[in-house]
Amino acid sequence: MLRLLLFLPLACAELADFDLGATIKGIPGAVRSNFRQFRVGTKQMWTNGKAAGAVKKRLKAGGDPLSYSEFHLLRKSSEDTGKLIQAGVLWIVAPELIPVMLYFFPRALPSTFESDQGAQKRYATLCRARATATLSLLTKLEEDSVGEGRKAKRTAAQRLLAIQMLKTKSIADAAAPMQPFLFPSTPPPKRQGKARALAAIKPLPQPLLKTGCKLIGLSGPIPGPIRRSSLANHLAQLVEEDAILRRTQLSTLSRSELVDACLDRGIGSLESTDAQLQRHLSTWLQLVHPQQTTDAPDPHRLRLAMMAASAITATRSAPEMALPRLLFTG
């Protein structure tokens, strides 16, 4: 396990401009650096675990409700433990696949082992994944809508929906054409959370499911059930997190909390200022909590639709799409 923890920070390193001589000379320094990162990461995991335990104890005793920072702490503490176990199993079975795992799943590294530079790389990876996933989906809709078969006709309807969304200028307008999708044809299960989210996205076609997973940092050859489970879990977390954010003063969030919250929802970019991210997040919270009506939309489908609309808006101005923009606009 020690070898794994020492290796995790190295697994995120880029291999561009590889210099064997410089690499060999840098091994002692790299070992010291990674050992420091191991100590810091392990200590922070222990600290977070104790803090999370104290928060849970307070909640169990009927204390004050969760703040956003505390919710974030509980989530990260739980996720980091799971990520460490998963990485440990992979290290035992096939350690050479650790870099591959981090390439396809940029969020697979426990947060306490992530440096500031590593976090910036992860944010950039998520932004690129969002832009390329959006463009890839539009291309696939064009390709699959050609023909007379059942699949082509179904995709043609999705293509028309995409056209309506692309003609809009705001996130709210882009989400409007998806209103019929927000209301399931069957009653939702009595259970809440992930079970209800799974039921909500069950009819989602594979291309849309894959795109949704790419928006949250999941790509590569993943079995369908794992895709659905991961996306459902993400949507369920957003529902819970949004409820806490509604009672939180957004100006109190740190830069990292703002970026994480926005990228989790497909909004904003690394170039956005804190004020812009706060406005984006405020708009999101207003749109996912519409005025009470007789027929309330499914909260998970609503958030998935908002993520799609947000991805379209963000991709239009994404630096990662500079060349495609030049291709189409001249």
Side-chain angles (χ1 to χ4, degrees):
M1 183 59 72
L2 176 60
R3 291 169 60 200
L4 166 65
L5 296 176
L6 289 173
F7 178 76
L8 283 174
L10 279 176
C12 295
E14 295 185 0
L15 298 179
D17 301 323
F18 179 73
D19 186 330
L20 179 59
T23 300
I24 293 176
K25 292 180 180 179
I27 286 177
V31 171
R32 289 193 297 269
S33 175
N34 290 326
F35 187 72
R36 284 195 299 269
Q37 186 68 26
F38 159 69
R39 288 192 302 174
V40 171
T42 304
K43 181 179 179 180
Q44 191 60 49
M45 280 192 72
W46 176 260
T47 302
N48 288 353
K50 290 180 63 177
V55 172
K56 291 178 181 178
K57 185 176 180 180
R58 189 196 77 213
L59 293 174
K60 188 175 181 180
D64 294 336
L66 281 175
S67 67
Y68 179 74
S69 295
E70 289 173 336
F71 175 84
H72 206 252
L73 170 68
L74 293 179
R75 176 181 169 183
K76 289 296 183 184
S77 179
S78 175
E79 288 180 350
D80 285 347
T81 301
K83 289 174 182 178
L84 192 59
I85 293 173
Q86 292 171 2
V89 172
L90 184 60
W91 176 257
I92 294 172
V93 176
E96 65 277 5
L97 294 181
I98 291 287
V100 178
M101 177 187 72
L102 294 176
Y103 176 81
F104 285 114
F105 313 112
R107 300 182 186 216
L109 190 69
S111 62
T112 57
F113 289 88
E114 187 177 57
S115 63
D116 291 340
Q117 183 181 13
Q120 292 301 311
K121 288 183 179 180
R122 175 169 57 85
Y123 294 150
T125 299
L126 290 172
C127 289
R128 285 195 301 272
R130 177 181 60 191
T132 55
T134 303
L135 192 59
S136 296
L137 177 61
L138 296 177
T139 303
K140 185 166 183 58
L141 290 179
E142 288 281 17
E143 294 173 350
D144 292 352
S145 62
V146 178
E148 299 295 332
R150 183 182 302 177
K151 178 181 178 181
K153 292 180 179 179
R154 183 172 60 248
T155 307
Q158 296 170 0
R159 177 180 177 275
L160 290 176
L161 178 62
I163 290 175
Q164 295 177 33
M165 296 176 66
L166 290 170
K167 288 183 176 180
T168 62
K169 298 297 183 182
S170 68
I171 294 177
D173 291 339
M178 290 185 285
Q179 282 295 320
F181 166 75
L182 305 184
F183 300 89
S185 57
T186 58
K190 294 182 179 179
R191 289 184 297 172
Q192 299 295 315
K194 184 178 177 179
R196 183 173 177 179
L198 271 171
I201 66 172
K202 186 177 180 180
L204 204 63
Q206 278 296 321
L208 302 184
L209 175 64
K210 290 181 179 180
T211 301
C213 287
K214 288 178 181 178
L215 293 181
I216 63 173
L218 290 175
S219 60
I222 308 173
I226 295 180
R227 289 185 192 275
R228 291 189 187 277
S229 177
S230 299
L231 183 57
N233 186 60
H234 184 84
L235 295 173
Q237 286 182 340
L238 289 186
V239 172
E240 186 177 1
E241 188 174 309
D242 285 344
I244 296 175
L245 281 172
R246 287 188 73 191
R247 62 172 187 260
T248 301
Q249 189 73 27
L250 298 183
S251 59
T252 63
L253 300 185
S254 67
R255 172 71 181 182
S256 61
E257 288 175 336
L258 275 173
V259 175
D260 275 326
C262 286
L263 292 185
D264 278 348
R265 292 159 176 78
I267 55 181
S269 68
L270 287 178
E271 288 72 27
S272 302
T273 64
D274 287 3
Q276 290 172 329
L277 293 177
Q278 290 166 14
R279 286 197 297 271
H280 290 323
L281 202 51
S282 178
T283 300
W284 167 281
L285 293 173
Q286 293 174 15
L287 294 174
V288 297
H289 292 94
Q291 294 181 350
Q292 190 65 34
T293 59
T294 304
D295 297 321
D298 180 88
H300 308 96
R301 289 192 174 193
L302 175 58
R303 280 158 180 79
L304 184 58
M306 288 299 304
M307 286 175 63
S310 300
I312 288 175
T313 303
T315 300
R316 282 199 175 103
S317 58
E320 300 83 8
M321 291 290 106
L323 292 180
R325 274 198 300 274
L326 286 175
L327 174 64
F328 294 117
T329 62

